[in-house]
Amino acid sequence: MTRKSIAIPPLTDELACVLIDAETIDRRVAELAQQINHDYANIKEPLILVGVLKGSFIFLADLCRKLTVPHVVDFISVSSYGKTTNTSGNVRLLMDTRENQENHHVLIVEDILDSGYTLDYLDRNFKTRGTKSVKNCVLLDKPDRHVVPVEISYLGFDVPDVWVVGYGLDVGEKYRTLPYIAEYKHEEA
Ligand code: PRP
């Protein structure tokens, strides 16, 4: 019998610990998909999944492959100024979606909710597009960081107020493709 082992990238000196391992993520994504399949079981038009670039791309890829309800995949890109200083929630649209959301149910897929500015902006934006409904699916929430209130429709995990990387999340584009979520050792300036 031949055995195949999975290569798990080891922690580097910059990473404090694994916060959520790949198996736990996979199980939770399956649970979220099951709930979404249940909730949208009777929709007539395909559900439009809108992944928020870049951080959501791995979560969205895993989630959509577990969906049995009809769906289409789309993306949007935004940037918000002043996040690092917590002083501004000025969100700017960098790249819009390609699908027309009119008369469709929209599910915004986000990797993380931090201040809430991004999701608050997207929620309000999609509600102006003639959508039937706008909900969100967020993998990670940092409740201690919220500045604006945002109602989460589907949530993967709460995480503490530490820098998190992996499974789509980066620090300066590093660690985005780790299969697990880890704490990055952030040194205060
Ligand atoms: C992150 C994350 C969310 C947003 C959440 O994106 O992917 O979109 O920040 O923060 P907020 O709740 O404070 O608005 P980021 O700007 O780091 O871009 P990226 O996804 O391309 O890495």
Side-chain angles (χ1 to χ4, degrees):
M1 186 180 74
T2 55
R3 289 177 189 272
K4 292 198 176 177
S5 58
I6 301 167
I8 300 173
L11 288 175
T12 69
D13 288 347
E14 292 182 323
L15 303 179
C17 62
V18 174
L19 287 173
I20 312 172
D21 64 43
E23 273 187 9
T24 306
I25 296 170
D26 190 54
R27 274 200 304 274
R28 189 71 188 119
V29 173
E31 288 170 359
L32 293 172
Q34 195 179 14
Q35 188 64 50
I36 293 165
N37 287 330
H38 173 267
D39 293 352
Y40 291 94
N42 298 318
I43 56 171
K44 293 186 175 58
E45 305 293 336
L47 173 65
I48 300 185
L49 304 170
V50 179
V52 185
L53 294 171
K54 296 180 189 177
S56 73
F57 82 106
I58 293 177
F59 177 38
L60 175 60
D62 284 348
L63 182 73
C64 69
R65 286 178 294 169
K66 292 174 164 54
L67 292 182
T68 52
V69 288
H71 60 273
V72 296
V73 172
D74 205 349
F75 291 96
I76 196 165
S77 179
V78 293
S79 89
S80 76
Y81 294 116
K83 276 200 325 193
T84 49
T85 55
N86 291 334
T87 54
S88 166
N90 190 359
V91 179
R92 190 165 57 111
L93 185 61
L94 298 179
M95 186 199 84
D96 207 347
T97 52
R98 288 170 64 174
E99 302 299 320
N100 181 355
Q101 296 90 25
E102 207 172 343
N103 289 319
H104 283 71
H105 297 279
V106 167
L107 185 63
I108 303 165
V109 180
E110 260 287 27
D111 55 334
I112 191 162
L113 178 61
D114 192 324
S115 69
Y117 285 125
T118 303
L119 206 46
D120 175 61
Y121 167 84
L122 290 172
D123 183 62
R124 286 186 288 109
N125 185 303
F126 281 110
K127 281 178 177 161
T128 67
R129 299 186 185 201
T131 46
K132 280 188 175 165
S133 72
V134 180
K135 291 184 21 173
N136 59 66
C137 183
V138 177
L139 182 68
L140 305 177
D141 184 27
K142 282 186 178 175
D144 296 343
R145 299 266 308 167
H146 292 189
V147 177
V148 287
V150 176
E151 193 178 325
I152 300 177
S153 315
Y154 304 96
L155 173 63
F157 307 92
D158 275 341
V159 287
D161 184 12
V162 296
W163 283 41
V164 285
V165 293
Y167 201 70
L169 294 118
D170 72 309
V171 168
E173 294 304 322
K174 258 177 106 175
Y175 301 118
R176 225 188 252 287
T177 58
L178 282 179
Y180 49 80
I181 291 164
E183 178 182 345
Y184 177 78
K185 290 181 196 166
H186 172 56
E187 284 168 25
E188 296 294 338

